[in-house]
Amino acid sequence: MTQAFDAKAQQQTLEDRAQKALELARRLGADACEVGASVDQGIGISVRESDVESVELSRDQGIAVTVYVGKRKGSASSSDANDDSIQSVVERALSIARYTGEDSASGLADAELMATEFPDLDVHHPWELSTEQAVELALACESAGLGQEGIRSSDGASLSSGEGVRVYANSHGFLGSQAGSRHSLSCMLIAENGNGMQRDYDYTSSRDPKELWTPETVGRNAAERTLRRLGGRRPATGRFPVLFDPSMASGLVGHLMSAISGGAIYRDASFLCGRLEESLFPEWFSLGEKPMLMRGMASSPFDGDGVQTRDNVFIDSGKLASYMLSAYSARRLGLQTTGNAGGARNVRINAPLQSREALLSRMDRGILVTELMGQGVNGVTGDYSRGAAGFWVENGKIQYPVEEFTIAGNLSQMFAGLAAVGDDIDTRGSIHTGSWLIDEMTIAGD
């Protein structure tokens, strides 16, 4: 069993270390300083074919210091947080700062933007779980999958449970901390018939272990997903509508968020540079973030700069309403931070939703994509080309599994061609979305 994790005591220890680092940096000549410190503890279990493959108990800590000397910046970090190590980290950061070039955009976020509201977002739910109990849950998950007719073997079931505390402080006098937890259970299975073998998986994830699906549900879902892929064939080559399963549609949202990130914009490395206020999606589609959601997978009252987070709308009635900016990227662009140092938090879509059946009926003839492979996405041009697997749809009905084909398009055209969004919302991650129906993409198969 993992040793007890006293979140309050860990928080106090990290805050003390951060304050020591700030004071030391000031004494050694830094004009400004910011410190991030964290400690995490968890357990990870892997089983395969009813045997325990691995048991991993982890406890990690670290401290990172960034100092500013004028407009020069230096950063250093360490996984050792004793007093001697803290001094070494600060001294190394200062040494680096004195030899780096000046950057007019460097520096802390403005003091008046620092977070002042710290509500309890209910994101810390420890799981008092012994190693033996964790193994039992993973084995029960795998057993439920292996018990389904047609499943040949298992590629493993895994359980992970972790909690931690993070602290951010800077020389404005800001100090923020948050404890959090994350738990998950997954299973991957192999099925076989006369047409070959197939592999697929399913998983559950939550801040609160009470909200996880049962091991039996995960195992049975994994088996169902695996069995339905048997008998896959290559689809015809052509241009067809494509329906992205929710877990795949969240990836499209991820590409959008990467393209509107301040770093990509000021480097001129995004296909969305200079396109603020342009229509990217249909008018009925909006997208934003809600960082203050209770129990949200990415909830936080402050960002990586200490700035107060807030609800942001990035796509408003189809138009690109805002980039996603940290203090640094905002300065580079002559704009104001959006409180997004560290990324977006709890992305949500505002759009009319349709059932899976309605989406299939609307597409009539095309492909439902349930798996994507490869990294064929160019963030600079928006060109999109990836290997895929899924199901062929004819007359609005799923006919048979398809595999070994490529889907291709351009993200700008795909966003503009979004025909509908499903009500089958995947809530397991920080991006919540249902299926996306794209009006037309190029399919390269037979």
Side-chain angles (χ1 to χ4, degrees):
M1 185 173 183
T2 57
Q3 66 184 90
F5 186 89
D6 187 333
K8 288 186 177 180
Q10 292 293 336
Q11 177 179 330
Q12 186 61 57
T13 297
L14 293 180
E15 290 178 356
D16 290 345
R17 289 171 180 168
Q19 296 286 20
K20 285 179 182 178
L22 289 173
E23 176 59 24
L24 181 59
R26 184 192 63 78
R27 291 204 321 264
L28 293 179
D31 296 318
C33 178
E34 56 187 336
V35 181
S38 64
V39 60
D40 299 280
Q41 178 174 296
I43 182 172
I45 302 292
S46 294
V47 302
R48 187 172 183 272
E49 298 290 352
S50 302
D51 290 327
V52 178
E53 280 204 322
S54 66
V55 176
E56 185 175 320
L57 305 178
S58 62
R59 186 179 180 89
D60 302 309
Q61 64 179 2
I63 187 166
V65 175
T66 297
V67 299
Y68 301 93
V69 179
K71 289 298 182 179
R72 301 175 188 270
K73 171 184 173 182
S75 299
S77 63
S78 175
S79 59
D80 185 356
N82 61 40
D83 289 349
D84 289 342
S85 181
I86 290 173
Q87 176 149 349
S88 175
V89 169
V90 173
E91 289 173 347
R92 280 188 284 127
L94 277 163
S95 177
I96 293 169
R98 293 187 175 110
Y99 290 98
T100 57
E102 292 192 354
D103 184 344
S104 61
S106 70
L108 303 177
D110 294 344
E112 61 270 20
L113 299 176
M114 294 296 101
T116 56
E117 299 177 14
F118 302 93
D120 180 1
L121 299 176
D122 197 25
V123 295
H124 185 221
H125 293 270
W127 196 358
E128 295 184 4
L129 189 68
S130 69
T131 302
E132 292 75 16
Q133 290 170 324
V135 168
E136 288 176 5
L137 290 171
L139 288 172
C141 180
E142 182 187 55
S143 177
L146 287 171
Q148 304 305 303
E149 184 176 354
I151 295 298
R152 174 193 174 191
S153 59
S154 166
D155 213 18
S158 300
L159 180 147
S160 68
S161 173
E163 58 181 314
V165 177
R166 68 183 181 96
V167 167
Y168 172 83
N170 63 37
S171 48
H172 285 323
F174 175 82
L175 192 153
S177 60
Q178 185 176 39
S181 59
R182 185 171 297 231
H183 317 284
S184 66
L185 179 63
S186 65
C187 183
M188 179 173 285
L189 300 169
I190 299 170
E192 183 178 20
N193 63 10
N195 295 316
M197 296 170 56
Q198 292 290 345
R199 176 187 285 107
D200 212 328
Y201 74 100
D202 201 15
Y203 76 97
T204 179
S205 181
S206 179
R207 292 278 198 182
D208 186 345
K210 297 185 185 69
E211 295 179 353
L212 294 174
W213 301 339
T214 66
E216 293 74 20
T217 297
V218 176
R220 287 194 296 266
N221 286 353
E224 180 182 345
R225 289 173 60 89
T226 305
L227 290 166
R228 70 181 185 177
R229 294 185 61 168
L230 289 170
R233 59 183 98 164
R234 297 188 72 188
T237 294
R239 290 188 63 80
F240 302 100
V242 173
L243 180 61
F244 287 82
D245 187 74
S247 57
M248 302 298 103
S250 65
L252 297 180
V253 177
H255 297 318
L256 169 67
M257 304 314 291
S258 294
I260 66 172
S261 68
I265 299 299
Y266 78 71
R267 292 186 181 96
D268 201 25
S270 169
F271 67 98
L272 296 180
C273 286
R275 297 184 64 179
L276 277 177
E277 301 304 323
E278 282 192 23
S279 292
L280 299 182
F281 290 85
E283 190 175 351
W284 48 263
F285 181 90
S286 296
L287 176 148
E289 64 168 347
K290 294 183 176 295
M292 294 290 205
L293 277 181
M294 300 293 286
R295 296 199 183 190
M297 293 297 277
S299 295
S300 176
F302 58 93
D303 76 350
D305 293 326
V307 172
Q308 187 83 63
T309 55
R310 64 178 192 252
D311 289 0
N312 283 313
V313 176
F314 299 112
I315 304 295
D316 188 9
S317 300
K319 294 183 179 180
L320 178 56
S322 172
Y323 292 133
M324 189 172 64
L325 306 174
S326 65
Y328 181 80
S329 61
R331 289 191 189 113
R332 289 291 300 263
L333 295 166
L335 299 171
Q336 180 70 270
T337 177
T338 56
N340 286 115
R345 295 170 178 82
N346 304 323
V347 177
R348 301 293 184 265
I349 287 170
N350 183 9
L353 305 178
Q354 300 183 28
S355 68
R356 171 66 68 91
E357 292 72 21
L359 295 178
L360 291 172
S361 177
R362 182 167 179 172
M363 78 182 297
D364 186 45
R365 184 170 187 255
I367 286 181
L368 164 61
V369 171
T370 58
E371 183 180 7
L372 291 166
M373 293 152 276
Q375 305 297 321
V377 182
N378 188 321
V380 178
T381 65
D383 290 338
Y384 185 98
S385 178
R386 302 186 69 185
F391 299 88
W392 181 255
V393 176
E394 193 82 40
N395 298 320
K397 302 292 183 182
I398 293 175
Q399 302 297 320
Y400 50 82
V402 288
E403 59 187 9
E404 298 179 358
F405 64 96
T406 300
I407 58 173
N410 182 276
L411 288 171
S412 287
Q413 296 168 358
M414 292 163 65
F415 294 160
L418 179 62
V421 175
D423 62 6
D424 49 349
I425 298 172
D426 187 346
T427 62
R428 293 173 292 183
S430 64
I431 297 173
H432 287 193
T433 181
S435 301
W436 280 28
L437 176 59
I438 307 297
D439 60 358
E440 192 176 61
M441 294 184 70
T442 298
I443 307 300
D446 279 337

